[in-house]
Amino acid sequence: MKKIILLTLALIATLSVSAQYYPDGRPIPPRHRYGNSYNHRTSHSYFGSDTYYGFRLGLNVATVRSDAAILDGSDSRTGLDLGAVIGTRLTSTAPLYFETGLSYTEKGGKGTYQGDKFTYRLEYLELPLVIKYKYPVSPDVTIEPFAGGYLALGVGGKIKNYGAREAYSSFSDDNAAFKRFDGGLRIGCGASFDMLYLGLSYDIGLANIGHDDFDDTRTGCLNLNIGVTF
């Protein structure tokens, strides 16, 4: 009788653990197994660890808008965006996260000056600083609106003047080039499908990257990226 009772208790315990990790017949990955109950709206078992990290690969559609005709590249230029992110939860009462990271990103623009075509390629190391809210749609899907800003440091790039057939550095002290520092606002929304991430964002440059204090020169960039999150 004692053995039967012990076996029964062991079976109940096993079924209890299985119910915790397989709610509605669907498994919870080990990295999501936190807390004692499963509530897909609020519990840590749904959102996983308080800290996450991931890798991103994206495409930029960028412009440079300037009051100075020689710097106005208001026709869009495409470029690469490649980087890593890390996020941490800010409060236990809501799925609110602070996300940062580091990326290599290509911005710039195209235009004409005195009848000659030119292109700008501006290569930056960029630091995002955003607040993200992870809204659960299902146990495997979250919608993630975010807002914040970014800081960027120019590390390379070329200005090409097709009329004169000349190419020179994008970042120098010349008035026909740009300052290295950029920064601004970032707004967007992402979606996570288990480990897969898709995101769309827009950067609004606030720093004047031209050398003339009287002519504003600012970047703008639409970014579409894909990645994985752990």
Side-chain angles (χ1 to χ4, degrees):
M1 185 67 178
K2 185 177 180 180
K3 289 183 179 180
I4 294 175
I5 293 174
L6 291 175
L7 288 172
T8 302
L9 291 175
L11 180 60
I12 292 172
T14 302
L15 291 175
S16 176
V17 171
S18 297
Q20 177 182 346
Y21 291 157
Y22 291 81
D24 301 323
R26 305 183 66 179
I28 303 174
R31 70 181 186 280
H32 289 171
R33 296 176 182 178
Y34 295 86
N36 297 319
S37 63
Y38 181 81
N39 182 324
H40 80 278
R41 292 294 177 185
T42 59
S43 77
H44 287 263
S45 64
Y46 175 78
F47 294 104
S49 172
D50 286 345
T51 300
Y52 64 87
Y53 61 95
F55 301 97
R56 305 287 185 259
L57 175 64
L59 175 71
N60 290 333
V61 181
T63 59
V64 175
R65 297 188 181 276
S66 178
D67 296 334
I70 196 172
L71 296 180
D72 187 40
S74 54
D75 292 335
S76 62
R77 182 188 184 282
T78 58
L80 175 69
D81 183 83
L82 176 66
V85 299
I86 184 169
T88 185
R89 193 166 181 169
L90 297 176
T91 172
S92 61
T93 59
L96 195 65
Y97 292 79
F98 171 72
E99 184 176 289
T100 185
L102 187 65
S103 65
Y104 164 81
T105 187
E106 296 176 349
K107 298 184 179 181
K110 297 187 292 186
T112 57
Y113 178 68
Q114 295 181 346
D116 294 333
K117 176 186 174 182
F118 61 81
T119 63
Y120 302 138
R121 188 178 79 251
L122 309 178
E123 302 171 4
Y124 291 100
L125 287 180
E126 196 166 83
L127 180 74
L129 302 162
V130 301
I131 301 297
K132 174 175 286 189
Y133 185 88
K134 295 192 175 187
Y135 180 79
V137 176
S138 76
D140 298 315
V141 179
T142 55
I143 302 298
E144 305 175 5
F146 56 87
Y150 71 92
L151 300 173
L153 178 67
V155 294
K158 290 290 185 181
I159 297 174
K160 293 183 179 181
N161 183 329
Y162 287 86
R165 300 189 66 81
E166 294 178 344
Y168 46 95
S169 174
S170 297
F171 300 105
S172 72
D173 293 330
D174 193 294
N175 281 339
F178 302 95
K179 297 177 182 177
R180 289 188 181 273
F181 174 77
D182 191 19
L185 301 178
R186 174 170 295 177
I187 57 173
C189 188
S192 288
F193 306 87
D194 195 14
M195 293 177 61
L196 178 66
Y197 178 83
L198 297 174
L200 181 68
S201 64
Y202 190 78
D203 291 346
I204 304 170
L206 298 181
N208 181 5
I209 63 172
H211 291 282
D212 191 331
D213 292 335
F214 297 95
D215 291 326
D216 282 340
T217 302
R218 306 183 192 277
T219 60
C221 183
L222 178 70
N223 173 265
L224 174 65
N225 61 49
I226 186 172
V228 292
T229 303
F230 304 96

